[in-house]
Amino acid sequence: MVTVLSIVVSLAIILATSYQVSGLQSFNLIRQPVAPREHFWGFSCQSWRLGVETNNIRDWTTVPKLCEIYMAVYLLGPQYRKDSRIVTYEAFRYAESLELGDDGKDIWIFDIDETSLSHLFFIAQYGFGTEPLNGTAFLEWLEKGEAPALPESLKLYRRLLNLGIKTVFLTGRAEFMRNSTESNLKLVGYDTWEKVLLRNSSELNQTQVEYKSIKRTELVESGYRIVGNIGDQWSDLLGAYPGSRTFKLPNPMYYAE
């Protein structure tokens, strides 16, 4: 059965092999209406993505519409995984250099969505982030507990366990999603952890930075040492007690403050 996603993917592959990146962007610029942020001479989807990943572009709601095909090529092609691989490689090199305590209190924090688990094929239905997500449909997707692992993150997770570093999953998901979240993690290979921390009802209105700062503070005050922290959003890595080192995975699909 032909789906919108399969058509988009096929078109992306054809364009990726037919155009240089600059040509692809020019093609899109002619075809698509532009939003204010894109409305300047020489706009580049690749440069926009760099601005997002470096946290220079903030408070955005959707990917620029003219970058839909660029995003499809990036996310479905090899580069997205390569970008993740270099981050997790450096994280492991750092972890190998650590002198761990003998009390079992050295932990590494993993975010879940777009860090441990991938929702790429759900988000692809919304123009690879160029259209607002349907919140109800996204919640239903999460509750299914069928999201695949990000391969490079799972590899890092296993290597950290082998080094003797315990893992804590710290997510912005609500507490009522605990069963589906934990079963999804186990389904794809994240089969052991020290803690899985989710928002309780009193924490739902906090920003990501506020909420995760509080949770990390609680961990430190209970005796844990956060030796590392990996997430796809800057809000996973900012605030109180971010960890001895932080690592930012790519995610140009959405922004969470």
Side-chain angles (χ1 to χ4, degrees), residues 134-161:
N134 181 308
T136 301
F138 187 49
L139 184 60
E140 291 173 353
W141 158 262
L142 295 180
E143 287 279 38
K144 288 179 180 178
E146 299 174 352
L150 275 84
E152 301 305 322
S153 297
L154 182 58
K155 189 183 301 182
L156 173 64
Y157 162 85
R158 289 171 173 165
R159 287 175 169 173
L160 293 176
L161 291 181

Side-chain angles (χ1 to χ4, degrees), residues 109 212-220 236 238-242:
I109 293 180
K212 294 198 170 185
S213 291
I214 291 170
K215 291 302 182 185
R216 292 193 301 260
T217 299
E218 291 173 354
L219 289 168
V220 170
D236 298 325
L238 298 174
Y241 298 107

Side-chain angles (χ1 to χ4, degrees), residues 60-131:
W60 52 279
T61 54
T62 57
V63 176
K65 184 62 180 175
L66 64 87
C67 296
E68 181 174 355
I69 297 175
Y70 170 85
M71 288 285 288
V73 172
Y74 170 70
L75 293 165
L76 298 175
Q79 193 60 48
Y80 177 43
R81 183 163 180 178
K82 288 180 179 179
D83 289 349
S84 297
R85 182 176 298 140
I86 194 65
V87 175
T88 56
Y89 172 75
E90 290 300 321
F92 178 63
R93 286 187 62 205
Y94 157 72
E96 279 188 309
S97 72
L98 295 173
E99 293 186 12
L100 303 178
D102 56 7
D103 56 0
K105 290 293 188 177
D106 295 300
I107 60 171
W108 193 291
I109 293 180
F110 278 75
D111 173 55
I112 293 183
D113 300 311
E114 265 59 65
T115 297
S116 305
L117 302 175
S118 173
H119 309 303
L120 170 58
F121 289 101
F122 175 86
I123 297 171
Q125 301 173 64
Y126 295 85
F128 295 91
T130 62
E131 303 169 13

Side-chain angles (χ1 to χ4, degrees), residues 109-113 115 168-173 197-199 203 206-220 226 229-242 256-257:
I109 293 180
F110 278 75
D111 173 55
I112 293 183
D113 300 311
T115 297
V168 170
F169 291 97
L170 175 55
T171 175
R173 296 186 184 194
L197 301 176
L198 301 94
R199 294 180 189 252
E203 298 165 334
Q206 295 171 347
T207 67
Q208 285 275 87
V209 173
E210 291 170 341
Y211 160 70
K212 294 198 170 185
S213 291
I214 291 170
K215 291 302 182 185
R216 292 193 301 260
T217 299
E218 291 173 354
L219 289 168
V220 170
I226 304 174
N229 183 3
I230 189 166
D232 66 291
Q233 300 285 330
W234 281 100
S235 54
D236 298 325
L237 310 174
L238 298 174
Y241 298 107
E257 63 178 359

